[in-house]
Amino acid sequence: MPLGVTAVVVLAAGAGTRMRSSLPKVMHPLAGRPLLWHALTTARGVQPEHLVAVIGHGREAVGAYLAATLPDVDTAIQDQQLGTGHAVDCALAVLGPLTGTIVVTYGDVPLLRPETLVALATEHTDRGNAVTVLTARVVDPTGYGRIVRDAAGEVIGIVEHKDADHAQRAITEINSGVYAFDAAVLADGLSRITAANAQGERYLTDIVGIARGDGRRVGALVADDATETEGVNDRVQLAAMAHALNARLVRTAQLGGATILDPQTTWLHADVVIAADATIHRNTSLEGGTTVAGGAVVGPDSTLVDCRVGADATVLRTHAEGAVIGERATIGPFSYLRPGTVVGPGAKVGAYVEVKKSTLGPGAKVPHLSYVGDATIGAQVNFGAGSITANYDGVHKYDTVIGDGAFIGTNTTLIAPVTVAPGGFTAAGSAITDDVAAGDLAVARGRQTAVAGWVGRKLPTSVMAAAAALAGTPEDHVTGTAPAAGSVPTTPEQPGTSSTRPGKALPA
Ligand code: UD1
Ligand code: CA
């Protein structure tokens, strides 16, 4: 059923002085989005034909944000904050003459749910009201406008705290500042309100009394949950609302089938999507547009920003931004994935590994202590411990390409641009400057030489000399470990026979 809401006006021109911030209040983030985004997202819930934000303080920043992120939102400029009535005037000047229902809400009330705004609009239409106010019952109404009702319980007006008498200040039903108005009643009321009050402002709230005085139907909807109607005025409230909103987001994910073991320490941004049967462990932040597929396990102690985690992947103690993690992939512990990282299905990024703008093919492994930047790594590649891509010469970045099934020996430095063809092999400790052909072994390291008895001669009083003496006479060690030429094995590696490992000895 259409709600008949022609426009939602979101008031966001105030200074937000108590935030003590150079950032406009409505731009402060909550769950990864500015306060104003939350207000506008809720406003969309009543499917208005027009959505207009009234901006003033910090309007360059707020206007630029809206133009870039929510271009369908109209903006009205309120140069001076002359009151909530004046602010709505500014919005109507942009919108032009309207009929139907106009909803007014605030840009700094981020917990208001679309369902509540829909209930307000529905109540307004069903009752044929001229004005319907969203109210709340609170323990401490100090500072709020009070809802004044007659003996029959009908709303007859709203009186601001500063204008209220003693008896009115005892009223605990407050005005949330969210309303549904008949457009004609709103326009007429705005033309009649004055600034003859304690604050010298044009109060939007006065329209309630004006409509009632004209004999029109004025109603109220009492919010089920007063916290929904609370505004942010300082950073203490901002943090409290962050907790409240997070609890809501966690609960929604849980009810959707995600296992979230520690809601207190799991932080979710508003746009995050967690599939059923995903598991999130403690101390984990999922931010931006992160998505987690079913069966995936994320955390503990992980932060993922704008990442996609595939089904059955594992992400442990990891910081990742802009990464795509394939299904069954395993990440961490202590991995750092930077933007442009694509980890293929079943691939592994292990401890103390940083990956930037690189693709790992299916089943590829970068298990320990590596940097992979600007690289394309094929399927089933083993990228040995401590190996890195040297992708930067101080001015330019260069690419590294490693073909399927290649083996990058421990502590290989791949000096980009360089290519290792499929099945290529680099010897441990090599600095690879030239392309490696398919199936070749590339060895690029100095030969080991032994200087017999050096320790005993040069450091005769040292621990090393004493240990060497205990181990045997220097004459026992004169040959060192360099193998004779021609000792490169021709048989496959045998377990436990390290002397026969391919690449251990230098080829002749
Ligand atoms: C207003 C209501 C009060 C209600 C309370 C709920 C009026 C006169 N009073 O009081 O009944 O209980 O909200 O929080 O409406 N704004 C503008 N331009 C202006 C003035 C305000 O855009 O000229 C915006 C502010 O940025 C803010 C909202 O309107 O988002 C409310 O303004 P604020 O000054 O906080 O109103 P209150 O005095 O708290
Ligand atoms: Ca306020």
Side-chain angles (χ1 to χ4, degrees), residues 67-230:
T69 313
L70 303 164
D72 63 317
V73 175
D74 292 322
T75 53
I77 305 295
Q78 187 191 27
D79 263 321
Q80 279 180 287
Q81 280 66 60
L82 303 176
T84 47
H86 177 252
V88 175
D89 256 345
C90 296
L92 295 193
V94 166
L95 290 168
L98 299 174
T99 56
T101 301
I102 312 288
V103 169
V104 175
T105 177
Y106 294 159
D108 58 0
V109 178
L111 296 183
L112 186 68
R113 292 176 310 131
E115 291 85 340
T116 304
L117 215 50
V118 167
L120 179 73
T122 305
E123 172 83 3
H124 180 77
T125 313
D126 288 358
R127 303 248 174 189
N129 288 344
V131 184
T132 310
V133 187
L134 182 67
T135 73
R137 296 191 195 281
V138 298
V139 176
D140 178 12
T142 308
Y144 289 100
R146 308 298 206 283
I147 303 298
V148 183
R149 294 178 183 258
D150 64 15
E154 298 290 328
V155 176
I156 55 172
I158 298 174
V159 58
E160 290 305 294
H161 182 90
K162 285 183 179 148
D163 301 295
D165 61 29
H166 191 70
Q168 289 167 331
R169 286 191 180 185
I171 298 170
T172 55
E173 185 183 7
I174 57 121
N175 169 30
S176 70
V178 179
Y179 324 78
F181 292 98
D182 173 75
V185 172
L186 177 63
D188 174 62
L190 288 173
S191 71
R192 290 157 67 183
I193 58 175
T194 68
N197 53 53
Q199 300 183 85
E201 291 181 358
R202 295 183 59 219
Y203 292 165
L204 182 62
T205 48
D206 285 351
I207 294 177
V208 173
I210 290 171
R212 174 70 193 211
D214 290 349
R216 300 186 191 277
R217 292 187 65 88
V218 174
L221 179 73
V222 185
D224 293 334
D225 176 3
T227 60
E228 263 193 61
T229 68
E230 283 174 18

Side-chain angles (χ1 to χ4, degrees), residues 457-475:
R457 287 197 306 279
K458 290 292 183 190
L459 304 166
T461 60
S462 67
V463 171
M464 300 81 80
L470 271 175
T473 61
E475 289 67 38

Side-chain angles (χ1 to χ4, degrees), residues 251-265:
R251 186 181 152 81
T252 302
Q254 288 172 320
L255 294 176
T259 295
I260 297 183
L261 290 150
D262 190 7
Q264 307 322 314
T265 65

Side-chain angles (χ1 to χ4, degrees), residues 358-446:
S358 296
T359 299
L360 272 63
K365 288 189 174 69
V366 187
H368 335 269
L369 300 155
S370 285
Y371 172 62
V372 176
D374 304 309
T376 305
I377 295 182
Q380 304 293 333
V381 166
N382 187 89
F383 202 89
S387 295
I388 64 155
T389 55
N391 63 328
Y392 185 47
D393 63 6
V395 181
H396 300 107
K397 302 280 170 70
Y398 302 94
D399 293 340
T400 299
V401 178
I402 302 175
D404 292 348
F407 187 97
I408 305 304
T410 297
N411 223 35
T412 297
T413 301
L414 295 151
I415 300 172
V418 72
T419 296
V420 178
F425 196 117
T426 69
S430 290
I432 301 297
T433 53
D434 300 328
D435 290 353
V436 178
D440 278 8
L441 166 68
V443 187
R445 66 186 186 211

Side-chain angles (χ1 to χ4, degrees), residues 297-392:
V297 180
V298 181
D301 307 321
S302 297
T303 298
L304 271 51
V305 184
D306 294 322
C307 291
R308 265 184 10 232
V309 181
D312 302 315
T314 302
V315 181
L316 172 63
R317 286 200 170 81
T318 288
H319 185 97
E321 291 181 36
V324 177
I325 297 166
E327 53 186 41
R328 291 173 286 100
T330 64
I331 313 294
F334 309 110
S335 303
Y336 179 27
L337 307 183
R338 293 167 53 197
T341 294
V342 179
V343 181
K348 176 189 173 87
V349 175
Y352 308 106
V353 172
E354 174 176 337
V355 183
K356 184 215 76 168
K357 207 175 161 192
S358 296
T359 299
L360 272 63
K365 288 189 174 69
V366 187
H368 335 269
L369 300 155
S370 285
Y371 172 62
V372 176
D374 304 309
T376 305
I377 295 182
Q380 304 293 333
V381 166
N382 187 89
F383 202 89
S387 295
I388 64 155
T389 55
N391 63 328
Y392 185 47

